[in-house]
Each structure stands twice: as C-alpha cells, then as structure tokens.
Amino acid sequence: MVSIACRVRQPRRLTIVIVVFPTRVLVSRSRETVYASPGDQSLYAVVTNYLVQIQNNRLVSWDNNTDGTQKYKQEYTTELKVTSGSEVSKSIGLSAAFKGLTISTEYSQKTFSTTETTTSKTETTEVEVPPRSELFFYQRQYVLRSDVYFILDAWNELSIVGSVGGHKVLHAQCDVVIDSDDYITTETELKGETEIKVDAASVTNFAEGLKIRKFGNYTERAKNTLRAMGLNGQ
C-alpha cells in the first residue's frame, strides 16, 4: 500500500485570540500633516493608536501520512487594512502613523516594517512537515484602533478643532488590522484564548496649552477638508 501525503487547507477565519492586558493599550501617538501652506495655514491630525487584540489566523494545515518529511511552500500576505474610517485614513495618510511602530509585550518586542504598514506584499516560505504528523500554519494579525483629533495652525496660533458649540474636541476614529510578517508553525493546534501583558508607550501631549476653537470659527479650507472626511463638527 502506498501512503499519500494529504494537504488540507483551512479557512482563514479560524482565529486564535490573544487577549491584550490591559484592554486597549496605548502604543503610539504622532502628529501627521493633513495639508500645509507656509505663511497661511496648516492642518494637522494627532493620531493616538491603541492595541486592541492580537490574533493568530490559521491559513492552512498539512497532514503528512508518509514515513518521510514533506516540504511545502506557503504564501502569506502582509498589509495594513482599514476596516472603518476609510475617509479619514485616506485624508490624513494614516499608514504613516504606524511606520516603525513598536509593540512591547511581556515576552517579546514587535517593530513593524514598511512593507507591513504601507504596502501589500506577498511572501513565500518553505515549511517541513515531519513524518506521520500534522502541521498548522498561523499568521499573526494585530488589531488596532486609532483616535484622531485635529490642530489648525492659522492666525499666528495653534488651536484644537472643536465641535460646533466648542464644548468638546472633534474626534474621528479608525479601526485597523495589520497582517504581519510573523507566522507560527506548530504540530499542536492552537485553541482557546491567551492573555498577554502589553506595555503602554510614553507619548507626547500635542494638546498641551492649546485652546479649543469652535468648528464654525475655522478657515473655509479647514472646514471643507474635515467635511470631506465626514466630519462636520457634531
């Protein structure tokens, strides 16, 4: 009897969750330029990124029924995807806020490369499946949430963009997932949830000393730019 090596593909949505502790950890903050006209006005977006969850997504598994080691090539794609808030993310160039982002956990440190956060790239790796065993292939995905507020530089002062009444800061929110270049191969199927402690980052307070200005009191260019993102001061 001839043994046949069977390759069984698993659905991508089979996900093992790593629960972040504490929930929603602040991992970075940056000030991105929306537009700049020197001597006239500039609009900035202050982006605060929070890590919500880490996931191991199973892409495939192989069942080797032979007495010899089997080799396979496996493709996986690295990219940053915005799952909500796309109008805002495009206008402010959100991916720049993740460039060089480092996430530190109790076990390791992850620094994202340019290909993980600004472009989509397909990688290929070779895996070996031992005799008479099953091997699982997981790609690590990071789930983040970006909180955004805006600062206008005009009339020789910096001010925070507020609501129509000026009683609160105008905020936008984007949800992001990063399919990283990290992957796991294991003969043991991952199950359940695991809790991991993530270190909060030290960040700059760009709002320090700035006043909130009513939405209606901003330049037409600033208001039109924000309206194009779906933000009207409400």
Side-chain angles (χ1 to χ4, degrees):
M1 179 180 294
V2 178
S3 295
I4 299 174
C6 297
R7 184 179 185 182
V8 182
R9 293 190 178 275
Q10 300 290 349
R12 185 184 176 92
R13 289 188 178 275
L14 188 53
T15 299
I16 304 302
V17 176
I18 301 175
V19 179
V20 172
F21 177 79
T23 304
R24 219 179 76 129
V25 182
L26 192 160
V27 291
S28 72
R29 178 178 292 150
S30 62
R31 193 177 76 169
E32 308 299 332
T33 301
V34 181
Y35 67 75
S37 298
D40 181 20
Q41 60 177 289
S42 298
L43 183 65
Y44 303 100
V46 177
V47 183
T48 302
N49 293 316
Y50 298 90
L51 178 64
V52 177
Q53 200 172 77
I54 302 172
Q55 299 179 166
N56 291 322
N57 292 329
R58 188 201 294 181
L59 304 190
V60 68
S61 67
W62 300 271
D63 190 5
N64 181 4
N65 296 317
T66 73
D67 294 324
T69 297
Q70 299 292 324
K71 294 183 178 181
Y72 297 98
K73 291 186 182 298
Q74 176 62 32
E75 291 186 346
Y76 60 99
T77 301
T78 62
E79 61 182 331
L80 181 151
K81 295 177 288 189
V82 178
T83 57
S84 71
S86 57
E87 297 85 358
V88 174
S89 69
K90 291 176 183 177
S91 298
I92 69 176
L94 182 63
S95 62
F98 294 92
K99 184 179 180 181
L101 169 65
T102 296
I103 294 176
S104 299
T105 74
E106 58 188 309
Y107 303 114
S108 62
Q109 189 176 75
K110 167 65 179 177
T111 299
F112 293 97
S113 66
T114 301
T115 56
E116 290 174 291
T117 58
T118 60
T119 60
S120 177
K121 184 179 180 181
T122 299
E123 304 277 3
T124 302
T125 188
E126 186 174 83
V127 298
E128 294 185 353
V129 185
R132 304 294 174 183
S133 65
E134 187 174 13
L135 190 72
F136 301 88
F137 186 102
Y138 297 87
Q139 183 180 14
R140 180 154 289 185
Q141 182 184 76
Y142 294 81
V143 182
L144 301 106
R145 176 161 292 175
S146 300
D147 181 79
V148 185
Y149 71 89
F150 301 89
I151 294 176
L152 182 69
D153 183 357
W155 307 297
N156 295 316
E157 72 170 4
L158 293 171
S159 59
I160 300 171
V161 178
S163 61
V164 171
H167 304 300
K168 61 181 181 179
V169 176
L170 181 67
H171 282 272
Q173 183 176 287
C174 300
D175 291 321
V176 172
V177 295
I178 301 176
D179 292 327
S180 75
D181 59 10
D182 297 336
Y183 64 87
I184 301 167
T185 57
T186 174
E187 293 179 45
T188 303
E189 183 180 8
L190 302 182
K191 296 181 180 180
E193 295 185 348
T194 301
E195 187 176 276
I196 188 171
K197 183 179 180 181
V198 178
D199 298 332
S202 298
V203 297
T204 301
N205 181 9
F206 293 101
E208 186 174 6
L210 302 185
K211 295 181 179 179
I212 301 173
R213 184 186 288 266
K214 293 180 181 179
F215 187 86
N217 292 343
Y218 276 92
T219 64
E220 286 303 311
R221 183 178 181 184
K223 288 187 289 186
N224 290 336
T225 299
L226 293 167
R227 284 169 180 152
M229 301 182 205
L231 304 172
N232 57 12
Q234 300 303 315

